[in-house]
Amino acid sequence: MRNLGLRGQAIVTIKDIAKKAGVSIGTVDRVLHRRGRVHPETLKRVSQVIKELDYRTNIFAKNLKLRKVFKFGVLMPRPGQDSLYWTLPLRGIERAQQELFSHKVQVNFFFFDRYQEKSVLLAGKKMWREKLDGLLAAPVLPKSFGQILQELPENLPVIFFDSYVPGIKPLSFIGQDAFQSGVLASCLMKQTVHCKQGKIAVIKVLPEDYHIAERIEGFLKGSCNWPGFESVVTEIDGHWSVSKTKTRLEDFYRKNKDIAGIFVANAMTHKVAEWWSSNSGKQPVILIGYDPIPRNVKLLKEKVIDFLISQQSERQGYEGIYALFRHVVLGEKVKEKIMMQIDIITAENVDYYQS
Amino acid sequence: MRNLGLRGQAIVTIKDIAKKAGVSIGTVDRVLHRRGRVHPETLKRVSQVIKELDYRTNIFAKNLKLRKVFKFGVLMPRPGQDSLYWTLPLRGIERAQQELFSHKVQVNFFFFDRYQEKSVLLAGKKMWREKLDGLLAAPVLPKSFGQILQELPENLPVIFFDSYVPGIKPLSFIGQDAFQSGVLASCLMKQTVHCKQGKIAVIKVLPEDYHIAERIEGFLKGSCNWPGFESVVTEIDGHWSVSKTKTRLEDFYRKNKDIAGIFVANAMTHKVAEWWSSNSGKQPVILIGYDPIPRNVKLLKEKVIDFLISQQSERQGYEGIYALFRHVVLGEKVKEKIMMQIDIITAENVDYYQS
């Protein structure tokens, strides 16, 4: 859904409405400004026409006149972290920002270090100094997020994307059904694994957030009744060095030689794939991971990774800004949950994938 | 990308442009209407700002004043045909139509019987009686389409979706890389098939159009070097009765008992799946087909069909109307090819799929 640049924003005049409703311009004006007397039937008809013709242009014209600027804060990890994963939603946010530029929407970014709770607190502190009209946040460190959201200004609409904080109900959540994506991964594994028995390595990547935990839960649920196979969970930390990661994985491998498949629960998939493929002598496995970041895509094309599961990351950021816009600027109702697709990417369809 | 209703259409005034470019309103007016003298540097700066601020509002205002209506013709199969497949792109066309209603875009439908060449000719004849500003067509019967397009009014922009006519170059083609989708299907088959050897039934559905032929070509190419397996092509006709289809398939089965997988090259997948699952005693196979129409989705959820390949059918119709709009109304350049994703749908992700 890219590069369209223009969507159907109606340009409708009072004259259009009057003509369509079969009333005078004065009547439409009275309805619009809720003054003077209008027959209930006429009111109903005019309101219907206004709704049909999408008479939102006025809202923009009004905002433009008032020179009101809408400031949205975006609180998210530094784009370079998690193997550049965050550049994907960032791209969507920037696209929405560009499209909404002339609607006086201004986006202020507050990036934090995804591996330091303290960094979230600092970013939050900086953020509360600004007067915001809305907040889009990726609460990947739920503990610190819970803390900074206690200082949330009253009535400030908050939208979560990517993950969420248990116990906090945002205006809307935009993301993937993480549990179901794990179930999907387990089914793909079951359908494609080459051996008749063996171990399935389930790699949990730290620091864990709720959606990584749910992906693993979904995978284990999906593969629990699977004769001949056993799922073994191990952990690596996202900010370990290459050699430390390798040592841990080698250690795991020594204890679990009969690996038939590997499931990595986030974008770090390439780290595990690089380790596995760097050693000749290892048996062929099925490797399933997450997110079409460049290093994963490269290994997918080389058939080291078999499947990547994707969550329309760019769209998450794009829809996030638009949801704030619709709620704050247009006063429209926003869905509680905006669920993304659970996309399956292989070497054969990746070139046409658009995130 | 649904239910957003509103996209970033700029509402920009001459004042905005003047302010941003640091010139007077009169200067902007001179630039816009190409009259009077403007310093080249100023011209450049103002033009840049206009471009940045997306000053297309004027075009709409102008059209609105002139009361010019843009008539787009849509030439496509009856929505009920091919197991309701055509309701998918139709939904996208109608959504675009609704969004562009207030931009004076009017869509006229010309449906034909997808199984009768004559019906295309009749629909075409009816269509040429109208004065159209653009044409969106699904040329599934290439012979007749070649014929009616010979009478194409000069300069009428034509966009193809779904399939195309060899030798005719439209303004734009919107669809899937059909060959590559066949390659993808063969890889999925190879990865998931249960046996060590056997036959892969490749079901060609008649009447054949170019993209069905290409899907099969892609599948055969992908599975040609596949020891132990042999691909056998057979044909069924999309408008045969259930019993005739069954007889043909049973006949095929009697000669090819060792079927390990079945590939159906279009939305008729459910017909083959229903036949296969109706008979107990047949071995488990991997069944791969196309398009998430209701009957296919039902069988996917029941795990009779293993994978459906989808081509964002709804989006094809939606983008088709918008491409005409951008070209005809906005005078913008439209891409020669707008390629859709090649989506893989399983029982586990179908509930989140949005076409």
Side-chain angles (χ1 to χ4, degrees), chain A residues 304-336:
Chain A
V304 177
I305 296 173
D306 295 276
F307 297 99
L308 285 173
I309 294 178
S310 173
Q311 47 187 330
Q312 300 188 294
S313 315
E314 185 172 332
R315 206 187 131 202
Q316 289 186 27
Y318 184 79
E319 299 277 353
I321 294 298
Y322 263 98
L324 279 180
F325 173 71
R326 286 204 308 277
H327 177 80
V328 175
V329 182
L330 303 182
E332 289 180 3
K333 214 176 140 55
V334 170
K335 274 200 268 181
E336 250 176 65

Side-chain angles (χ1 to χ4, degrees), chain B residues 75 112 116-128 143-149 151:
Chain B
L75 185 58
F112 57 83
Q116 281 201 38
E117 302 273 356
K118 211 181 69 186
S119 171
V120 176
L121 299 179
L122 281 171
K125 220 169 177 177
K126 202 175 143 203
M127 190 175 66
W128 295 146
K143 211 183 103 198
S144 307
F145 263 88
Q147 218 169 311
I148 62 165
L149 288 180
E151 295 170 49

